[in-house]
Amino acid sequence: MELTFLGTSAGTPTRHRNVTGLALQHGGSRGWYLIDCGEGTQHQVQKTHHTLGQLRAIFITHVHGDHTFGLPGLLASASMAGRTEPLPLIAPPSIRTFVETTLGATDSNLGYGIEFIEAHADGFHWQDEHIDVTTAALSHRVPTVAYQVTERHLERHLLTDRLQADGVPAGPAWGELQRGQDVTLEDGRLLRSADYVTVNRSPRRVVVGGDNDTPELLSEVCRGAQVLVHESTYTQDVSDRVGPWPQHSSAEQVARFAEAAGVPNLVLTHFSSRYQFSHPSAPLIDEIEQEARRFYSGNLNLARDLETYVLDRDGHLALAPAAG
Amino acid sequence: MELTFLGTSAGTPTRHRNVTGLALQHGGSRGWYLIDCGEGTQHQVQKTHHTLGQLRAIFITHVHGDHTFGLPGLLASASMAGRTEPLPLIAPPSIRTFVETTLGATDSNLGYGIEFIEAHADGFHWQDEHIDVTTAALSHRVPTVAYQVTERHLERHLLTDRLQADGVPAGPAWGELQRGQDVTLEDGRLLRSADYVTVNRSPRRVVVGGDNDTPELLSEVCRGAQVLVHESTYTQDVSDRVGPWPQHSSAEQVARFAEAAGVPNLVLTHFSSRYQFSHPSAPLIDEIEQEARRFYSGNLNLARDLETYVLDRDGHLALAPAAG
């Protein structure tokens, strides 16, 4: 499972950081999912190995423009690139109004259908062949959710000792059982796959928060998650100066929560546009990192645009080498 | 008068060229005008010396997304940067629907007002302190205009010989006459400014076309223009292969028109995303240039993203040195 950060700036782009977008790749071939779509997301996608034809679904955390203004352009470009496969767009209801009105007012005719799905409904659950997705409601100026993404179909290991003990000879039945299918033998015996396979690991699970001033709301969805991606718009002192109205989190808040929740990997993103990774006079993202380290003892990462993190089957998260 | 190309790609951005946007600077301080606003225009503006606070007006040639999808983000960022001055947005009527619906659906509250002005009305004429703007209707899949921009307030030279001959002594009256004010002398004589000043040159005039398959529609607005900026989406052979439905112009068409109209400076832009300035296998923008040169003997330029052209008072157009 791979996470590629397409933008890490809050509110407005900077010269070096775009607004929010996150590509999540998992499952066969090069299919991928997009979480949030600020303006310029399609430009960033062009700098990755992802294509708009292989995009499986879009998830929007909340309506704010720095998470959504890239939708019309990305949807139109997917069509111009020849996409015909329907595209699920999981989002708050007013995103449907925004997208449909924009495409209509600009004479943009898509060669594929958009399946609008209401993200903020109670008991939301979406799945495809590769992933299961649920949500948690967050606290922000507008209704906002976090998405919990869990992989499906873990590797099944065949219990060959048990098969031999039960007198089931090696053959096609073994393969069917391993693929999860129940099998009726020629002697009439029904073998249940669940009795003859085992799964040796937990599913990979990633939680991607939207904007949020109360990380504790993620407690439930972080159970069993190896990775939490969360906004950290400011350091605590800047947050105190700005005051509570923007309803964002500080590094300290998120770090304290992740430590208490026992999340092993934390990736911070959505840094205020005032912060830079390197600059002679602007405040540095280093300050956010240093603050978070004081309260979080796990694997801490600060996202940079176009960097990819790989979550392996053992739940280890590591930065992928830069693409050549 | 300066023209900075913010994007030169048609339809979709490429890795090196953004979709359409053109910054025109003229008049006092750093005030500027934006003609068209594809997605990512605000990102490109950050790479110039222009700021969203000094933007005087936006002109949209037609509704297509590659000319308009950057509007919501640019308008929102101008607000976040502290703009309070109202901003004229001259555009087809459905752009108002698109912008208002988008800002509403995404909870984007601007700290300034947008003055929507209908660009496609008959007899359109807009002016501010620095420029006069009129339009010409073009031929494209949707209603489209070209903007003719003419500078106002040319330098007035005082006819001192005539003043002395008429017995008007040097003094404050001379300054007032030069500034265009009529003056009543102490002896009761009324002096008209127009009788004592002269203007030694033609106003600078630039025509910026929208998408268009019939350059001849620009004949009228090109009178007295030193510069025509026009789309040249394909070479003629590609245009023939694609067929007429996109309603774009080839290099040959535009070049033939500019030659016949006697426009001294031609800048081509809006090249199909298939073209690159340098690439081992893609078709090259060179091909468009070579084709245009066969039919146009004036000063031919092919726009590149973030390049600035300066039109001096003598009507000469030249590429500005790259910014440091």
Side-chain angles (χ1 to χ4, degrees):
Chain A
M1 192 177 277
E2 289 187 6
L3 299 171
T4 302
F5 288 83
L6 303 173
T8 63
S9 183
T12 57
T14 75
R15 283 190 62 157
H16 302 289
R17 299 193 287 118
N18 200 31
V19 286
T20 300
L22 176 64
L24 185 151
Q25 183 175 2
H26 179 67
S29 74
R30 290 186 165 269
W32 63 289
Y33 308 86
L34 176 63
I35 303 177
D36 283 339
C37 186
E39 181 181 356
T41 293
Q42 66 162 324
H43 301 63
Q44 296 289 78
V45 170
Q46 288 189 333
K47 299 173 188 162
T48 71
H49 62 265
H50 297 307
T51 69
L52 299 180
Q54 287 168 318
L55 178 59
R56 295 204 193 107
I58 301 175
F59 299 87
I60 299 293
T61 61
H62 66 299
V63 299
H64 282 157
D66 56 329
H67 298 249
T68 61
F69 284 163
L71 280 169
L74 184 138
L75 296 171
S77 289
S79 183
M80 284 185 265
R83 184 183 181 109
T84 55
E85 198 188 347
L87 181 62
L89 173 49
I90 295 117
S94 69
I95 292 302
R96 179 173 194 155
T97 310
F98 153 46
V99 167
E100 289 184 340
T101 301
T102 298
L103 296 178
T106 58
D107 190 44
S108 309
N109 302 301
L110 303 187
Y112 61 93
I114 301 175
E115 296 171 357
F116 290 95
I117 297 167
E118 158 64 284
H120 292 62
D122 277 350
F124 171 87
H125 176 221
W126 183 88
Q127 65 174 199
D128 67 1
E129 182 187 351
H130 308 284
I131 59 171
D132 261 307
V133 182
T134 64
T135 54
L138 302 180
S139 167
H140 190 50
R141 307 197 300 276
V142 293
T144 302
V145 297
Y147 289 102
Q148 181 205 60
V149 180
T150 307
E151 70 174 326
R152 301 184 63 193
H153 307 309
L154 304 195
E155 312 75 40
R156 296 185 192 88
H157 298 278
L158 210 51
L159 299 170
T160 51
D161 288 356
R162 185 179 295 174
L163 284 161
Q164 280 161 347
D166 288 353
V168 181
W174 285 31
E176 289 170 39
L177 290 166
Q178 189 172 15
R179 286 192 296 275
Q181 295 161 15
D182 298 339
V183 170
T184 304
L185 297 179
E186 287 188 6
D187 63 13
R189 275 190 294 163
L190 172 66
L191 306 183
R192 298 196 186 278
S193 170
D195 296 334
Y196 294 97
V197 296
T198 183
V199 170
N200 291 337
R201 66 177 180 93
S202 304
R204 280 171 284 191
R205 173 170 289 172
V206 171
V207 174
V208 180
D211 293 6
N212 177 35
D213 68 3
T214 311
E216 295 68 28
L217 291 169
L218 290 155
S219 299
E220 189 69 31
V221 286
C222 278
R223 280 209 194 118
Q226 293 91 11
V227 182
L228 170 61
V229 176
H230 199 283
E231 65 128 315
S232 172
T233 306
Y234 317 109
T235 51
Q236 188 60 49
D237 65 324
V238 171
S239 180
D240 291 342
R241 272 208 308 279
V242 170
W245 75 265
Q247 295 196 242
H248 286 303
S249 286
S250 70
E252 175 177 340
Q253 273 180 283
V254 183
R256 281 184 186 277
F257 164 74
E259 183 73 15
V263 180
N265 302 284
L266 175 62
V267 187
L268 300 180
T269 183
H270 195 271
F271 312 118
S272 162
S273 59
R274 77 192 71 198
Y275 293 101
Q276 304 288 338
F277 273 104
S278 87
H279 196 278
S281 60
L284 298 180
I285 289 176
D286 253 9
E287 298 172 23
I288 291 177
E289 179 166 4
Q290 286 161 17
E291 178 171 303
R293 278 204 196 288
R294 289 208 301 278
F295 303 97
Y296 177 68
S297 61
N299 177 23
L300 175 68
N301 298 272
L302 277 80
R304 291 184 184 227
D305 283 41
L306 300 174
E307 279 186 348
T308 295
Y309 289 86
V310 179
L311 178 63
D312 71 16
R313 291 191 169 87
D314 297 323
H316 296 124
L317 184 76
L319 195 58
Chain B
M1 191 176 277
E2 288 187 6
L3 298 172
T4 302
F5 288 83
L6 303 173
T8 63
S9 182
T12 57
T14 75
R15 284 191 63 158
H16 302 289
R17 298 193 289 119
N18 199 33
V19 285
T20 300
L22 175 64
L24 186 150
Q25 184 175 2
H26 179 66
S29 75
R30 290 185 165 270
W32 61 290
Y33 308 86
L34 176 63
I35 302 175
D36 283 339
C37 186
E39 180 181 358
T41 293
Q42 66 162 322
H43 300 64
Q44 296 290 78
V45 170
Q46 289 190 332
K47 299 173 189 161
T48 71
H49 62 266
H50 297 305
T51 69
L52 300 181
Q54 288 167 316
L55 178 58
R56 295 204 193 107
I58 301 175
F59 299 86
I60 299 294
T61 60
H62 66 299
V63 299
H64 283 157
D66 57 330
H67 297 249
T68 60
F69 284 163
L71 281 170
L74 183 138
L75 296 171
S77 289
S79 182
M80 284 184 264
R83 183 184 183 108
T84 54
E85 197 188 347
L87 182 62
L89 173 48
I90 294 118
S94 69
I95 292 303
R96 179 174 195 156
T97 310
F98 152 47
V99 167
E100 289 184 338
T101 302
T102 298
L103 296 178
T106 59
D107 191 43
S108 307
N109 302 300
L110 303 187
Y112 61 92
I114 301 176
E115 295 171 359
F116 290 96
I117 297 166
E118 158 64 284
H120 292 61
D122 276 349
F124 171 87
H125 176 223
W126 184 89
Q127 65 174 199
D128 67 2
E129 182 187 350
H130 307 284
I131 59 172
D132 262 307
V133 183
T134 65
T135 54
L138 303 180
S139 166
H140 190 48
R141 307 196 301 277
V142 293
T144 303
V145 296
Y147 289 102
Q148 181 205 61
V149 180
T150 307
E151 70 175 326
R152 302 184 64 194
H153 307 310
L154 304 195
E155 311 77 39
R156 296 185 191 87
H157 299 278
L158 209 51
L159 300 170
T160 51
D161 288 355
R162 185 177 297 174
L163 285 161
Q164 282 161 344
D166 288 352
V168 182
W174 284 30
E176 289 168 42
L177 291 167
Q178 189 171 15
R179 285 192 297 276
Q181 295 160 16
D182 298 339
V183 170
T184 304
L185 297 180
E186 288 187 7
D187 64 14
R189 276 190 293 165
L190 172 66
L191 306 183
R192 297 197 187 279
S193 170
D195 295 334
Y196 293 97
V197 297
T198 184
V199 170
N200 292 336
R201 65 178 180 92
S202 305
R204 281 171 283 191
R205 173 170 290 171
V206 171
V207 173
V208 180
D211 294 6
N212 177 36
D213 68 4
T214 311
E216 293 69 27
L217 291 169
L218 290 156
S219 300
E220 189 70 30
V221 286
C222 279
R223 281 211 192 116
Q226 293 89 13
V227 182
L228 170 62
V229 176
H230 199 282
E231 66 127 316
S232 171
T233 306
Y234 317 109
T235 51
Q236 188 61 48
D237 65 325
V238 172
S239 180
D240 291 341
R241 273 208 308 281
V242 169
W245 74 266
Q247 297 194 242
H248 286 303
S249 286
S250 70
E252 177 178 337
Q253 272 180 284
V254 183
R256 280 184 186 277
F257 164 73
E259 183 72 16
V263 180
N265 302 285
L266 174 62
V267 187
L268 301 179
T269 184
H270 194 272
F271 312 117
S272 161
S273 59
R274 79 192 67 198
Y275 292 101
Q276 303 288 340
F277 273 104
S278 86
H279 196 277
S281 59
L284 298 180
I285 290 177
D286 253 9
E287 299 171 24
I288 292 177
E289 180 166 3
Q290 287 160 17
E291 178 172 305
R293 277 203 196 289
R294 289 208 300 278
F295 302 96
Y296 177 67
S297 61
N299 177 23
L300 175 68
N301 297 274
L302 277 78
R304 291 184 183 228
D305 283 42
L306 300 176
E307 279 187 348
T308 295
Y309 288 86
V310 179
L311 177 63
D312 70 17
R313 290 191 171 87
D314 296 324
H316 296 124
L317 184 76
L319 196 58

